[in-house]
Amino acid sequence: MVSESGHRPKTNKLIAYIEDRLPIADIKHIAEKKKVPLHRHSSWYYLGGIAAILFAIQVVTGILLMVYYVPEISAAHASILKINSQVNFGWFIRSLHSWSANMMIFVVILHLFSTYFMKAYRKPREATWWSGLVMMGVCLAFGFTGYLLPWDDVSFFATKIGLDVASKMPLIGSIMASMLRGGDLISQATISRFFVIHVAVLPLLIAGALVAHILMVQVHGISEPKFFAKQPEGDKKYEKFFPDFFFKDILVWLLAVNVLFALTMLFPWGLGPEADPFAAAPIGIKPEWYFLAPFQFLKLIPPMVGPIEGELFGILLLSLVGAFFVFVPLYDTGHSESRSKTATAVGIIVLIALTAFSIWGAMS
Ligand code: HEM
């Protein structure tokens, strides 16, 4: 707006300057046009945003940790000790990074299942689903590679077990495990590789997938679950993405960040004794909670199942479940009621199995 004296206020000048160069009005128009369906399951729509804010926290805290962390077997553990005890707020940044990583994986798993049960993978959102699966895999890989970096006894032996299991995968398993290790043993080569994968390869992968994911969500808008879509048009309720849903999103982020800060401060992340590759593995060693379910499941399988080695058989079964989640948008397209029911039933069984095996693994 131009004032009587002919001057534009500063903020208007700035907006006009930007609008002359970038299509701000178009972006605002898209955000205002986007609407969020209001129904009894609408709260699940907040999970993607919570995952995104936790990811942002991971990037910032990760960069800060890199300033002091040394990816060498002779110095890694000492550098974490220094971060914990000598660097100002070092313990806080490290604890924030670890808690936020765990919270992010938990939230992403919930987001995966909520979009699964709402059938949001169906046309036209197949690629949104697949980009999400890529990010789920990347999040788990972040957890696996990051766990070794402090080089304490638990992280060393948990990584050893993880790589041993991975090496049993058919065809690529042993080559992949050997490439990750940089040989037959966990050594300096392993920590160098895990560090590069953790701070360069995975961030690039997730950034690409995240941009694609969010762009597709903007283009397609939020999906409408069937029970909502079949209501008469007049009965359906929506709210505008901008500003209504967006400001609630910010409120939910604040709540999530509060929970994260409480965990960070009340339960600062610990550090075990330095890894000794020649010592015996600590008794009852377990992987992180998000790998407990497959770990526990594989422990149940006898050494041989018919002519096949037990662990290989278990890995093949788990791969089948994974494949179902990859191909579900092509299987359950929304045209067959029986396929829709099968997909829901598989989801329920997998969710119950995941929860039960994780609890069992944690308690045993
Ligand atoms: C770092 C991980 C992820 C981030 C930051 C993220 C972010 C988001 C955001 C902000 C939305 C829009 C709001 C919402 O529906 O929650 C969304 C939607 C969606 N996400 Fe994700 N997501 C991630 C992982 C995943 C995973 C693992 C899957 C499943 C394999 C997935 C599948 C979807 C689908 C299908 C939608 C569309 C939902 C709809 O239209 O109703 N996302 N995601």
Side-chain angles (χ1 to χ4, degrees):
M1 194 209 292
V2 182
S3 70
E4 281 172 16
S5 60
H7 291 294
R8 281 172 189 268
K10 264 190 183 158
T11 44
N12 278 6
K13 265 189 184 170
L14 181 68
I15 290 169
Y17 180 89
I18 298 172
E19 269 178 351
D20 279 349
R21 286 153 184 87
L22 290 171
I24 298 287
D26 293 351
I27 297 171
K28 204 170 156 235
H29 180 68
I30 292 175
E32 274 171 355
K33 228 180 81 184
K34 191 176 151 189
K35 49 193 186 152
V36 180
L38 276 179
H39 50 77
R40 61 180 186 275
H41 295 303
S42 293
S43 15
W44 298 107
Y45 296 139
Y46 291 105
L47 289 170
I50 304 178
I53 197 74
L54 292 172
F55 175 65
I57 292 175
Q58 284 309 93
V59 174
V60 175
T61 51
I63 290 173
L64 290 174
L65 286 174
M66 257 200 293
V67 176
Y68 288 97
Y69 175 73
V70 184
E72 283 175 20
I73 47 177
S74 55
H77 189 265
S79 71
I80 297 283
L81 266 182
K82 181 175 169 180
I83 290 173
N84 265 3
S85 55
Q86 290 173 32
V87 177
N88 283 339
F89 291 101
W91 69 271
F92 179 71
I93 298 296
R94 174 169 177 252
S95 191
L96 203 56
H97 193 73
S98 306
W99 274 113
S100 168
N102 281 277
M103 244 176 100
M104 179 171 161
I105 292 179
F106 184 67
V107 169
V108 172
I109 293 174
L110 287 184
H111 176 56
L112 186 154
F113 278 103
S114 66
T115 52
Y116 181 91
F117 287 123
M118 286 206 241
K119 314 258 176 206
Y121 49 70
R122 285 179 181 164
K123 189 184 167 191
R125 296 180 181 77
E126 297 95 329
T128 314
W129 172 258
W130 288 322
S131 61
L133 282 186
V134 169
M135 287 194 284
M136 181 77 258
V138 171
C139 285
L140 295 176
F142 263 124
F144 187 64
T145 50
Y147 200 52
L148 177 71
L149 300 181
W151 201 251
D152 65 6
D153 57 353
V154 180
S155 72
F156 176 86
F157 285 104
T159 305
K160 189 170 178 302
I161 295 170
L163 285 173
D164 287 347
V165 173
S167 70
K168 296 273 163 40
M169 258 158 68
L171 303 175
I172 51 161
S174 78
I175 298 173
M176 194 183 73
S178 157
M179 276 173 67
L180 283 172
R181 266 192 229 105
D184 292 336
L185 298 171
I186 295 185
S187 63
Q188 176 59 49
T190 323
I191 214 171
S192 301
R193 280 154 204 241
F194 273 42
F195 180 67
V196 172
I197 293 172
H198 191 80
V199 307
V201 180
L202 297 176
L204 280 175
L205 266 178
I206 205 166
L210 188 56
V211 169
H213 197 72
I214 303 282
L215 271 179
M216 284 187 279
V217 174
Q218 297 313 312
V219 171
H220 296 136
I222 300 283
S223 72
E224 297 184 2
K226 202 171 170 191
F227 72 86
F228 180 86
K230 67 182 183 199
Q231 282 177 32
E233 270 319 304
D235 292 354
K236 290 186 189 172
K237 290 203 180 76
Y238 297 91
E239 66 182 342
K240 279 184 171 178
F241 176 76
F242 190 84
D244 301 356
F245 185 80
F246 181 70
F247 282 115
K248 286 192 203 163
D249 238 352
I250 294 182
L251 202 67
V252 173
W253 292 352
L254 279 177
L255 282 175
V257 169
N258 267 296
V259 172
L260 172 64
F261 273 49
L263 289 168
T264 302
M265 311 276 283
L266 295 175
F267 308 102
W269 209 258
L271 179 68
E274 189 172 2
D276 175 0
F278 302 107
I283 298 164
I285 184 111
K286 280 180 205 161
E288 284 283 79
W289 63 268
Y290 38 87
F291 291 125
L292 271 179
F295 178 74
Q296 190 65 18
F297 172 72
L298 290 176
K299 276 209 299 196
L300 275 186
I301 302 189
M304 292 301 286
V305 180
I308 309 177
E309 203 189 320
E311 230 167 32
L312 176 61
F313 179 79
I315 290 174
L316 286 173
L317 272 183
L318 293 175
S319 309
L320 268 182
V321 177
F324 186 84
F325 274 72
V326 173
F327 292 110
V328 72
L330 308 179
Y331 172 75
D332 175 18
T333 53
H335 299 300
S336 150
E337 193 53 32
S338 74
R339 286 187 176 203
S340 172
K341 283 189 177 144
T342 310
T344 306
V346 171
I348 293 174
I349 294 169
V350 171
L351 184 59
I352 293 176
L354 202 64
T355 315
F357 278 111
S358 302
I359 296 174
W360 186 10
M363 292 196 319
S364 56

